[in-house]
């Protein structure tokens, strides 16, 4: 245990952290946490704008930050962790606009943040994966920031909830179809119907001209099949897609970074980030 504690302490000391508060489209505030590796030889650095999971209703937790710090340290990039506002207190449109506004803010402040504007990516896990996918589509449709990559970890993509895995996994650990149904009910309450193609990313009629994607799905996860389907639809639309199907895993399995299966998953994600940013492994 002492060895693990020392390693975690060293990693913490190797990461610089700052907080920002930026305006939302409705006059509210969006909180950001920015991580970057200390003593990096690169200037400017690439950046991954990250949206956390939590069924659109839960705030971020410590393990989510530990994972993104791993990405920052081992991939040699900045992470802008977005504390978007949550349902049901805020509508899906506000949540999504918080995420898109954060991306635009990053692009507009690249010089002062030390970020390379040609190497900006988005990523997210679970509900955050849905937000990352939606922001990627919005950036294309609004002619917004040019993204080089999207990292989608066991992503939510399909409001219809009719896949085989959703129908099958009603009592799985981490997440299940019953909780999934509640999540969509909260998220889509008072939803703008014109935004549905973004809120349920797989329903967008056009998935052409999107950046390269890395999509990870877990064997025992009700979201598994919609993640696979989204990867296929992206690929069929002419996009570069890497699909990583992890066997023996469940939704949220990566909460404990010490486990070997989690480290293997992190290795694959980080390799994908490095490749997207053209960084040495």
């Amino acid at each position: 245990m002492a060895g693990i504690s020392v390693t975690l302490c060293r990693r913490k000391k190797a990461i610089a952290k700052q907080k920002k508060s930026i305006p939302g489209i409705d006059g509210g505030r969006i909180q950001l946490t920015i991580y970057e590796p200390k003593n990096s030889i690169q200037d400017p650095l690439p950046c991954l704008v990250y949206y956390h999971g939590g069924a659109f209703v839960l705030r971020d937790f410590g393990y989510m930050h530990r994972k993104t710090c791993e990405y920052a340290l081992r991939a040699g990039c900045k992470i802008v962790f977005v504390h978007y506002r949550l349902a049901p207190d805020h509508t899906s449109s506000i949540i999504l606009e918080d995420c898109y506004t954060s991306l635009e803010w990053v692009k507009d402040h690249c010089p002062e943040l030390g970020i390379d504007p040609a190497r900006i990516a988005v990523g997210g896990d679970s509900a955050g994966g849905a937000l990352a996918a939606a922001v990627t589509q919005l950036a294309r449709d609004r002619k917004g920031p040019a993204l080089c990559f999207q990292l989608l970890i066991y992503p939510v993509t399909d409001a219809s909830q009719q896949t085989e895995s959703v129908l099958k996994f009603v009592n799985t650990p981490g997440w299940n179809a019953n909780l999934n149904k509640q999540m969509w009910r909260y998220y889509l309450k008072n939803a703008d119907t014109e935004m549905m193609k973004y809120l349920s990313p797989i329903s967008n009629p056009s998935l052409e001209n999107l950046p390269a994607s890395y999509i990870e799905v877990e064997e025992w996860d009700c979201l598994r099949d919609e993640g696979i389907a989204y990867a296929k639809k992206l690929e069929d639309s002419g996009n570069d897609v890497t699909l990583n199907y992890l066997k023996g895993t469940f939704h949220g399995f990566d909460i404990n970074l010490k486990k070997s299966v989690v480290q293997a998953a992190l290795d694959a994600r980080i390799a994908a980030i490095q490749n997207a940013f053209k960084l040495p492994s």
Side-chain angles (χ1 to χ4, degrees), residues 12-277:
K12 186 175 181 180
K13 289 181 178 178
I15 291 288
K17 172 184 174 181
Q18 62 175 309
K19 290 184 175 291
K20 296 283 187 181
S21 178
I22 67 173
I25 62 168
D26 63 343
R29 306 296 295 181
I30 310 164
Q31 308 305 317
L32 308 175
T33 301
I34 304 174
Y35 296 105
E36 65 179 294
K38 293 179 181 177
N39 305 317
S40 174
I41 61 173
Q42 286 199 79
D43 185 25
L45 285 171
C47 177
L48 177 68
V49 180
Y50 199 83
Y51 310 110
H52 66 85
F56 306 107
V57 300
L58 297 176
R59 52 150 294 183
D60 51 295
F61 295 101
Y63 75 91
M64 299 173 179
H65 290 268
R66 288 192 289 274
K67 282 190 294 185
T68 52
C69 283
E70 285 286 310
Y71 302 154
L73 187 60
R74 294 175 56 192
C77 65
K78 292 191 186 240
I79 302 288
V80 176
F81 190 104
V82 180
H83 303 264
Y84 54 87
R85 288 170 288 175
L86 301 170
D89 293 335
H90 299 280
T91 66
S92 52
S93 292
I94 288 295
I95 294 169
L96 183 51
E97 292 294 350
D98 277 1
C99 295
Y100 184 77
T101 297
S102 299
L103 172 64
E104 283 201 316
W105 182 87
V106 168
K107 181 63 182 291
D108 292 343
H109 293 80
C110 278
E112 67 189 72
L113 294 171
I115 289 172
D116 181 353
R119 293 188 294 169
I120 298 175
V122 295
D125 58 280
S126 192
L131 294 169
V135 165
T136 301
Q137 295 176 12
L138 279 171
R140 176 201 62 186
D141 294 347
R142 293 177 176 178
K143 297 180 170 43
L147 297 171
C148 66
F149 178 63
Q150 59 177 337
L151 177 79
L152 309 180
I153 307 303
Y154 38 80
V156 170
T157 68
D158 190 354
S160 70
Q161 304 173 76
Q162 293 300 312
T163 65
E164 181 181 345
S165 60
V166 163
L167 298 176
K168 179 178 180 181
F169 295 132
V170 295
N171 195 30
T172 43
W175 192 245
N176 60 56
N178 291 325
L179 293 172
N180 203 57
K181 185 181 297 184
Q182 294 178 45
M183 173 195 72
W184 280 112
R185 187 166 64 248
Y186 281 123
Y187 189 45
L188 297 183
K189 183 178 180 181
N190 299 320
D192 181 349
T193 55
E194 293 186 2
M195 294 294 286
M196 274 305 300
K197 65 181 181 180
Y198 302 114
L199 301 177
S200 177
I202 201 169
S203 68
N204 196 319
S206 172
L207 294 185
E208 297 177 349
N209 301 315
L210 293 174
S213 305
Y214 177 89
I215 300 178
E216 179 188 300
V217 297
E218 319 309 326
E219 182 177 12
W220 298 319
D221 182 5
C222 66
L223 301 178
R224 180 194 67 200
D225 291 349
E226 63 194 71
I228 294 171
Y230 193 60
K232 185 178 187 305
K233 189 171 180 179
L234 283 169
E235 191 169 46
D236 290 346
S237 298
N239 303 293
D240 181 16
V241 181
T242 297
L243 174 65
N244 189 6
Y245 183 122
L246 295 186
K247 293 191 175 182
T249 54
F250 56 88
H251 192 95
F253 78 102
D254 52 349
I255 191 170
N256 186 346
L257 301 187
K258 301 171 190 175
K259 291 187 176 295
S260 58
V261 66
V262 176
Q263 282 299 317
L266 290 179
D267 288 345
R269 297 172 194 174
I270 289 163
I273 297 169
Q274 290 172 326
N275 182 63
F277 291 148

